[in-house]
Amino acid sequence: KVLVTGGMGYIGSQHALHEAGITPVIYDNLSNASARVLDQLEKITGTRFEFILGDIQDEQQFKLAVK
């Protein structure tokens, strides 16, 4: 698994990782994106990726996400 911060804004990145056999875990605060992106990613790849709502500026929250 690979944690992709801001991952809701980079559909192509998740698709490329998925095609390479890597499972992305998307970590995003949705400040510039929508949770609907998960539905689009699932349509493109056939996989529902794990999503964590969070902000990398929140150090404690981020540490929990990378465990």
Side-chain angles (χ1 to χ4, degrees):
K1 289 185 179 181
V2 173
L3 184 68
V4 181
T5 59
M8 296 296 268
Y10 297 99
I11 292 175
S13 297
Q14 279 74 39
H15 184 64
L17 289 170
H18 178 70
E19 291 299 311
I22 299 169
T23 303
V25 176
I26 302 168
Y27 186 85
D28 201 306
N29 66 4
L30 299 178
S31 64
N32 292 309
S34 167
R36 295 180 301 206
V37 171
L38 282 175
D39 297 330
Q40 295 301 318
L41 287 170
E42 187 173 7
K43 285 181 185 177
I44 292 168
T45 65
T47 301
R48 185 73 173 188
F49 297 124
E50 181 180 347
F51 171 69
I52 301 168
L53 179 63
D55 192 315
I56 61 170
Q57 294 181 36
D58 182 334
E59 186 177 342
Q60 185 175 15
Q61 183 184 43
F62 187 72
K63 285 180 180 180
L64 290 172
V66 296
K67 283 188 175 188

